[in-house]
Amino acid sequence: MRYYLDTNIVTFMLLDTDEIHRDVFELINDYSNTFYVSSIVAKEIIHLHKRDIIKKSRFKATSDVLIAMKNIGIEVKLLNENHLLQYARMDINTDEHNDPNDHAIIAQSISDKIPLISSDHKFKYYIPQGLELIFNKR
């Protein structure tokens, strides 16, 4: 099966933390599954490295983070016009969830009809709009 990964899940994977629930861990370790990230997630991961949130001792150069993602089988999917059209149609709850990067990631998942794995509680708001969410209970 195919899955999109949110920024938090990729960060947990790169840093080998114990923040991934066993159900999600089993999905990630099932080699028959394919994992993607939105180009928005890749941008956020680069930003986290540049801000030293993803420690530079593990990844000397920012490009090392992208190489590590590729090495663990994560493919970057570019945001395209269909994703932006889905984003334009979405009902955005700006009072509760005002992150345009998250909205684009969610729109890409909905548009491609690929489940999104995330630890973000706010993503549940978008399930009625077509998001198939696999929630990582931390």
Side-chain angles (χ1 to χ4, degrees):
M1 183 142 178
R2 302 175 306 158
Y3 298 95
Y4 271 113
L5 302 172
D6 190 19
T7 308
N8 52 59
I9 301 298
V10 176
T11 303
F12 300 154
M13 291 170 70
L14 291 173
L15 298 178
D16 292 323
T17 70
D18 59 356
E19 298 287 326
I20 298 176
H21 189 271
R22 61 180 151 75
D23 295 338
V24 171
F25 186 79
E26 287 177 18
L27 285 175
I28 290 169
N29 285 306
D30 181 343
Y31 294 107
S32 67
N33 291 328
T34 304
F35 297 98
Y36 305 112
V37 293
S38 170
S39 54
I40 301 297
V41 169
K43 178 190 75 77
E44 288 182 326
I45 294 291
I46 290 167
H47 181 73
L48 291 171
H49 184 266
K50 288 183 178 224
R51 289 189 52 223
D52 207 23
I53 293 169
I54 294 178
K55 300 297 180 200
K56 291 185 179 181
S57 61
R58 173 128 190 220
F59 303 103
K60 300 294 184 203
T62 304
S63 59
D64 294 342
V65 178
L66 296 173
I67 292 167
M69 286 172 43
K70 186 175 184 174
N71 287 342
I72 60 175
I74 299 172
E75 181 181 337
V76 177
K77 292 284 194 179
L78 296 177
L79 192 68
N80 65 39
E81 186 176 350
N82 290 330
H83 303 138
L84 294 173
L85 287 170
Q86 178 62 45
Y87 182 38
R89 288 190 296 267
M90 284 173 48
D91 176 25
I92 304 295
N93 184 346
T94 55
D95 293 335
E96 297 294 323
H97 188 217
N98 197 22
D99 184 337
N101 285 332
D102 283 351
H103 300 153
I105 293 164
I106 292 164
Q108 189 164 352
S109 175
I110 293 170
S111 176
D112 291 346
K113 295 178 177 40
I114 297 175
L116 175 63
I117 302 173
S118 179
S119 296
D120 194 327
H121 289 280
K122 296 174 184 172
F123 283 25
K124 292 178 182 179
Y125 176 79
Y126 303 94
I127 292 171
Q129 297 183 60
L131 176 64
E132 187 176 340
L133 177 64
I134 296 172
F135 185 71
N136 179 57
K137 300 171 232 151
R138 295 169 36 187

